Amino acid sequence: AQKVTQAQTEISVVEKEDVTLDCVYETRDTTYYLFWYKQPPSGELVFLIRRNSFDEQNEISGRYSWNFQKSTSSFNFTITASQVVDSAVYFCALSEPQRISGGYNKLIFGAGTRLAVHP
Amino acid sequence: DVKVTQSSRYLVKRTGEKVFLECVQDMDHENMFWYRQDPGLGLRLIYFSYDVKMKEKGDIPEGYSVSREKKERFSLILESASTNQTSMYLCASSKGGVYNEQFFGPGTRLTVL
C-alpha cells in the first residue's frame, strides 16, 4: 500500500540555520508524483513543488531545494538560511495517478513536520 | 489568482445536527476534493469529484456525503454530526490530468459538541 512517512514531528531552529525535512515513501507504482506543501498558521496549504518518478534531478528554488532519491525512496526538502516566515507545517505527499475521466492525482499525505524558526 | 473559498472558517454544531460545508473554486477545475486534517494523521481524503454530479469515495467516507451540482461548487454533508467528526476540513481543486497539483482552501475548523 502507498504510504508517506515524515518521521520528524517538530523541528525548532534559529534563524539563518539550514534545516532538512525528511520524507520517505512507499509505492508499488512505477509512475507516480511527489509533492511538498506548506501550511502556514493561516491554514491554507500552499503548493511548493511536484516531482515525477522519472525525474531524479534535484531542484533548487531560491532558499529551497529538494533531493529526490529513488534508491532510498526519499524526497527530502532543505531550507537554507531559514527565516521566521518559514515557520509552518510542511507536508510531503505521494500521488496515485487515477485515469478516470480527465484524470486526477489522489494524494497520500504524510503526517507533516512542524517547523519553528526563532529569531 | 487561483482561489478556493470555504463558507466558514469556524463552525460549532451539536451532536445529531445536519452540517453543510461549502466549497467554491473559481478556476474552472474539473476535480474537487474534501479532506479532513487531524494532528499526527496528516490529511485524509473523504470524497472527491471529477465532474459535475460525479463522486467517488475516498479513504474515510463513513458518516459523510457530498454534492456537486455545479462545476465550481462542492459540498460536504454530515448527515448527523458526531463528536468524532470534530476536525479541520479542507477543500481542494485541480485541473483534469494526473500531473496537476491541488489548490487548497483556507479550511473550516468544525467543533461538534
Side-chain angles (χ1 to χ4, degrees):
Chain A
Q2 264 92 345
K3 187 179 175 184
V4 175
T5 302
Q6 294 180 256
Q8 303 148 309
T9 307
E10 291 190 33
I11 301 175
S12 183
V13 299
V14 176
E15 234 180 350
K16 297 186 185 173
E17 279 187 48
D18 298 348
V19 57
T20 295
L21 310 181
D22 297 333
C23 173
V24 174
Y25 63 92
E26 293 174 31
T27 181
R28 291 182 188 166
D29 294 331
T30 54
T31 302
Y32 53 90
Y33 299 87
L34 293 160
F35 298 78
W36 274 96
Y37 282 86
K38 173 183 180 180
Q39 186 179 38
S42 60
E44 188 171 324
L45 269 78
V46 176
F47 166 74
L48 295 177
I49 190 171
R50 167 188 49 234
R51 172 66 72 229
N52 77 53
S53 52
F54 297 107
D55 181 4
E56 286 193 72
Q57 274 197 319
N58 290 332
E59 179 145 343
I60 298 175
S61 175
R63 297 184 297 106
Y64 294 171
S65 62
W66 291 268
N67 181 277
F68 175 33
Q69 294 201 335
K70 258 176 123 168
S71 59
T72 56
S73 297
S74 65
F75 186 42
N76 296 336
F77 173 30
T78 297
I79 302 174
T80 303
S82 59
Q83 299 176 3
V84 172
V85 293
D86 296 326
S87 296
V89 180
Y90 291 87
F91 290 97
C92 179
L94 168 69
S95 74
E96 288 181 19
Q98 307 285 326
R99 299 191 183 277
I100 298 174
S101 188
Y104 61 89
N105 267 310
K106 180 183 174 185
L107 295 180
I108 294 104
F109 284 85
T113 297
R114 182 177 297 278
L115 173 65
V117 181
H118 303 284
Chain B
D1 227 8
V2 162
K3 200 134 176 106
V4 179
T5 56
Q6 296 183 227
S7 48
S8 308
R9 289 303 303 270
Y10 300 94
L11 211 50
V12 179
K13 296 291 181 181
R14 299 227 171 258
T15 302
E17 279 193 75
K18 190 168 186 175
V19 181
F20 291 87
L21 302 182
E22 304 283 336
C23 175
V24 177
Q25 51 95 2
D26 65 0
M27 298 160 282
D28 200 34
H29 283 171
E30 288 77 13
N31 303 319
M32 295 189 75
F33 308 82
W34 275 107
Y35 294 90
R36 65 177 280 175
Q37 181 180 2
D38 299 291
L41 296 177
L43 279 72
R44 293 177 293 165
L45 182 65
I46 305 171
Y47 265 98
F48 59 91
S49 168
Y50 52 88
D51 203 349
V52 175
K53 295 191 189 295
M54 306 305 289
K55 60 188 179 187
E56 291 285 336
K57 292 180 180 178
D59 298 318
I60 51 164
E62 296 78 20
Y64 304 94
S65 62
V66 290
S67 171
R68 192 169 181 200
E69 296 296 318
K70 293 184 177 181
K71 190 176 185 180
E72 67 271 17
R73 190 178 296 270
F74 192 36
S75 303
L76 180 69
I77 303 152
L78 288 66
E79 293 289 341
S80 177
S82 64
T83 54
N84 63 12
Q85 293 178 309
T86 291
S87 187
M88 171 72 91
Y89 290 88
L90 291 161
C91 175
S93 71
S94 73
K95 282 187 197 174
V98 299
Y99 185 70
N100 295 303
E101 71 272 26
Q102 294 178 20
F103 294 87
F104 284 81
T108 296
R109 186 165 294 283
L110 172 67
T111 301
V112 183
L113 301 175

